[in-house]
């Protein structure tokens, strides 16, 4: 029996390598990954995927203009809702610590076809999110390099970020883990330093402004304006599931991954709220942001607070955040694609399940997570409107996949599933599961709600329409290529089977 000793921020602990392998073997798999990801690296992967800096900087102007300063309370509301989802996921991953996350979880809780659709929606959402993050990062490369943020320059910058993230992923779990910790360290220090400096030296408002809508509600209720602005919170709080996507690369995953998921919510949510608070209190002219006169308040603030040189340093930290976020998204997407391939669930499985014994990564699955986002980004050269439509599905798709797992867990509970992993909610399991599903449905309705009646109907309903298209393509694929119903890998075994005599 081989016993390994590893060190993390919580001190030394022991675990038996054979126990992880035996657990996975009992679930029907033999892992090819190396368990080189420490607990803090696993948390850092989730944190950099959630990325407070990327999320807040990307949507701050929109949220402030739409709902005024009270939009910050969406971080609290969404944080509680997603924490409930994370608790459900924690029970599932503790029992099924299998690479790929939502797909294998749905497979064990419900069945093959349901899992295929769950994974399909999540995969498409991940790929367009990678494109979204790198494309957004391209806009920060231009001022960092002192060049014009033209469409061509933004695309080149985005592709550059994507290439760097891909190289890191191809270097294996150990390098990915180290890069995730570096990304977390840079982002948390940057968030605290930038936010702290803005609060200390450039605060323009007191805390009372957080309750001032600045007339964003017009003549009606403030609720619709707040619901629209709350997208900044909804867009922020996912990434914790990435901790489970790499379950076969973490020692003692049934105990450590649930902790990492909760840390991602605690620390990531607190950092995002702090950054947003500092930006709100430091904006000199909030009405100018609401009217659209100041369309980029974040850049305006950075220039005012740090000067040209200081702003570039901050931009450098921001770019590290974008690379780290893209890198974590790619890791999640590639493990999902590999999991599909290993179960022979999709066309091209023979390539997707191939594994590099040198780097201990699935190379072709990683290529999918690089090439598809690159094509989406490159397509923006011909139509920035088209990429906006494609990316509009990103957040809704991830929430849909999340809630499909939450629904599968609820169904399984009602049919007799009793979680048996190292993390269990006990009697709280059912109420938490119901509350998580209720929150998720409300969040998805909010995301899909049409808010632009002056545009063409398909633009007004673009988020919901994109979801219908993705699901429709998935259904057509399953009808013409029935691999989703042929796989002999384990499935639908969470619910106790009735013994007949």
């Amino acid at each position: 029996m081989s016993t390994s000793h590893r060190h993390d921020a919580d001190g030394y602990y022991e675990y038996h390598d054979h126990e992880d392998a035996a657990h996975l073997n009992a679930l029907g798999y033999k892992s090819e990954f190396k368990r080189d990801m420490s607990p803090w690296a696993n948390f850092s992967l989730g944190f950099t995927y959630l990325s407070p800096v990327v999320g807040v900087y990307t949507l701050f102007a929109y949220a402030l203009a739409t709902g005024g300063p009270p939009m910050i309370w969406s971080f609290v509301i969404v944080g509680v809702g997603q924490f409930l989802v994370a608790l459900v996921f924690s029970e599932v991953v503790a029992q099924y610590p299998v690479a790929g996350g939502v797909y294998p979880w749905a497979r064990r809780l419900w069945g093959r076809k349901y899992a295929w659709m769950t994974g399909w929606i999540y995969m498409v959402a991940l790929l367009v999110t990678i494109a979204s993050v790198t494309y957004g990062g391209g806009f920060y490369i231009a001022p960092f390099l002192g060049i014009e943020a033209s469409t061509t320059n933004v695309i080149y910058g985005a592709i550059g970020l994507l290439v760097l993230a891909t190289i890191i992923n191809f270097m294996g779990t150990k390098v990915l883990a180290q890069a995730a910790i570096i990304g977390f360290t840079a982002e948390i220090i940057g968030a605290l330093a930038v936010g702290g400096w803005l609060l200390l030296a450039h605060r323009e408002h007191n805390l009372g402004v957080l309750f001032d809508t600045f007339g964003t509600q017009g003549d009606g209720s403030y609720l619709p304006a707040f619901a629209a602005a709350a997208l900044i919170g909804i867009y922020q709080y996912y990434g914790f599931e990435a901790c489970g996507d790499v379950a076969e690369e973490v020692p003692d995953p049934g105990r450590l991954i649930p902790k990492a998921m909760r840390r991602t919510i605690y620390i990531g949510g607190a950092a995002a709220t702090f950054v947003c608070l500092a930006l709100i209190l430091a904006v000199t002219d909030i009405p100018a942001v609401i009217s659209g006169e100041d369309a980029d308040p974040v850049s305006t603030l950075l220039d005012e607070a740090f000067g040209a040189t200081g702003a570039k340093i901050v931009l450098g930290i921001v770019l590290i955040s974008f690379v780290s976020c893209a890198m974590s998204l790619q890791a999640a997407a590639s493990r999902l694609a590999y999991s599909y391939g290993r179960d022979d669930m999709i066309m091209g499985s023979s390539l997707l399940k191939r594994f590099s014994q040198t780097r201990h990564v699935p190379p072709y699955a990683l290529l999918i997570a690089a090439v598809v986002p690159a094509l989406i980004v490159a397509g923006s050269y011909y139509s920035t409107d088209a990429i906006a439509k494609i990316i509009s599905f990103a957040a809704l798709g991830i929430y849909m996949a999340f809630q499909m797992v939450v629904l599968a867990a609820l169904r399984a509970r009602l049919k007799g599933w009793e979680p048996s992993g190292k993390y269990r909610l006990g009697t709280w399991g059912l109420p938490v599961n119901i509350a998580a599903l209720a929150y998720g449905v409300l969040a998805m309705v909010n995301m899909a709600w049409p808010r632009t009646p002056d545009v063409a109907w398909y633009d007004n309903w673009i988020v919901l329409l994109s979801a219908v298209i993705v699901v429709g393509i998935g259904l057509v694929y399953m009808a013409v290529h029935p691999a989703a119903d042929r796989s002999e890998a384990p499935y639908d075994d969470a619910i106790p089977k009735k013994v007949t005599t």
Side-chain angles (χ1 to χ4, degrees):
M1 182 188 303
S2 65
T3 301
S4 298
H5 300 267
R6 299 199 180 181
H7 179 272
D8 70 351
D10 299 319
Y12 290 97
Y13 65 92
E14 290 187 349
Y15 75 96
H16 300 289
D17 286 334
H18 83 282
E19 291 179 2
D20 294 336
H23 186 187
L24 198 60
N25 187 61
L27 294 174
Y29 297 99
K30 181 179 180 181
S31 184
E32 297 182 277
F33 290 100
K34 292 184 70 176
R35 295 189 184 273
D36 281 338
M37 190 170 286
S38 71
W40 274 101
N42 186 240
F43 152 72
S44 296
L45 190 75
F47 181 94
T48 52
Y49 177 162
L50 180 145
S51 189
V53 168
V54 172
V56 174
Y57 281 30
T58 300
L59 286 177
F60 179 77
Y62 161 80
L64 187 60
T66 303
M71 58 83 172
I72 194 173
W73 299 109
S74 68
F75 285 95
V76 178
I77 297 170
V78 176
V80 172
Q82 287 292 73
F83 180 69
L84 297 174
V85 175
L87 291 178
V88 175
F89 281 15
S90 293
E91 281 196 309
V92 180
V93 73
Q95 185 168 343
Y96 301 109
V98 180
V102 299
Y103 156 69
W105 300 342
R107 185 181 180 96
R108 309 308 281 257
L109 291 169
W110 195 314
R112 292 177 294 193
K113 288 185 176 180
Y114 187 85
W116 192 95
M117 183 57 73
T118 302
W120 165 254
I121 292 171
Y122 186 53
M123 174 64 79
V124 175
L126 280 176
L127 294 176
V128 297
T129 302
I130 295 168
S132 172
V133 168
T134 53
Y135 189 75
F139 284 98
Y140 287 95
I141 286 181
F144 180 74
L145 298 177
I147 59 177
E148 179 190 358
S150 64
T151 300
T152 302
N153 288 339
V154 168
I155 291 172
Y156 283 144
I159 297 296
L161 293 178
L162 188 57
V163 168
L164 181 56
T166 304
I167 290 172
I168 292 170
N169 267 295
F170 263 104
M171 294 178 75
T173 301
K174 186 172 288 188
V175 174
L176 173 66
Q178 292 170 343
I181 292 175
I182 292 170
F184 161 70
T185 304
E187 184 156 356
I188 199 71
I189 291 175
L192 294 175
V194 172
W197 179 249
L198 290 177
L199 289 175
L200 289 173
H202 292 272
R203 189 162 65 108
E204 298 287 340
H205 310 280
N206 58 36
L207 292 175
V209 78
L210 302 181
F211 301 92
D212 188 345
T213 66
F214 284 85
T216 49
Q217 72 273 28
D219 298 327
S221 168
Y222 177 64
L223 183 59
F226 178 76
L231 293 177
I232 189 173
I234 290 173
Y235 183 79
Q236 182 66 69
Y237 280 97
Y238 50 85
F240 57 86
E241 81 281 4
C243 301
D245 290 336
V246 294
E248 293 175 32
E249 296 159 77
V250 182
D252 197 6
R255 183 175 68 88
L256 298 178
I257 290 176
K259 285 185 179 181
M261 285 183 172
R262 297 196 300 276
R263 281 177 181 158
T264 299
I265 296 286
Y266 302 149
I267 302 175
T273 306
F274 178 70
V275 170
C276 188
L277 174 67
L279 290 173
I280 290 173
L281 297 185
V283 171
T284 304
D285 192 350
I286 292 176
V289 178
I290 293 172
S291 68
E293 183 182 341
D294 183 1
D296 188 5
V298 174
S299 295
T300 302
L301 268 176
L302 294 181
D303 288 337
E304 289 176 354
F306 298 97
T309 303
K312 283 203 172 186
I313 294 174
V314 174
L315 284 173
I317 296 172
V318 170
L319 287 173
I320 291 175
S321 301
F322 273 93
V323 172
S324 300
C325 184
M327 170 194 76
S328 301
L329 285 160
Q330 276 191 320
S334 63
R335 273 51 171 185
L336 172 60
Y338 168 78
S339 187
Y340 259 95
R342 181 168 62 178
D343 288 348
D344 292 319
M345 285 286 280
I346 199 168
M347 182 175 62
S349 289
S350 59
L351 287 177
L352 293 176
K353 67 183 176 184
R354 287 193 187 178
F355 205 83
S356 168
Q357 296 303 325
T358 304
R359 299 294 182 185
H360 293 277
V361 294
Y364 292 98
L366 265 174
L367 279 177
I368 292 290
V371 173
V372 175
L375 292 174
I376 295 173
V377 170
S380 66
Y381 180 81
Y382 301 98
S383 174
T384 53
D385 189 49
I387 192 174
K389 287 180 171 58
I390 293 171
I391 288 172
S392 67
F393 171 71
L396 178 63
I398 288 175
Y399 266 72
M400 286 174 66
F402 278 20
Q403 292 309 311
M404 288 180 77
V405 173
V406 173
L407 176 61
L410 179 59
R411 171 183 175 271
R413 283 182 208 279
L414 296 176
K415 285 179 169 285
W417 174 53
E418 295 183 5
S420 60
K422 293 182 179 180
Y423 181 86
R424 281 168 280 185
L425 293 171
T427 56
W428 285 99
L430 183 60
V432 166
N433 206 149
I434 293 171
L437 184 63
Y439 158 74
V441 170
L442 286 174
M444 289 189 293
V445 169
N446 189 28
M447 280 185 274
W449 199 265
R451 294 187 170 95
T452 51
D454 296 333
V455 302
W457 70 268
Y458 48 83
D459 276 333
N460 194 26
W461 290 90
I462 186 61
V463 176
L464 182 60
L465 184 61
S466 62
V468 170
I469 291 171
V470 170
V471 172
I473 293 173
L475 290 172
V476 170
Y477 178 89
M478 290 197 334
V480 301
H481 193 280
D485 204 29
R486 287 204 309 255
S487 169
E488 293 304 315
Y491 67 94
D492 190 21
D493 56 0
I495 305 167
K497 299 297 186 288
K498 292 181 180 180
V499 178
T500 58
T501 58

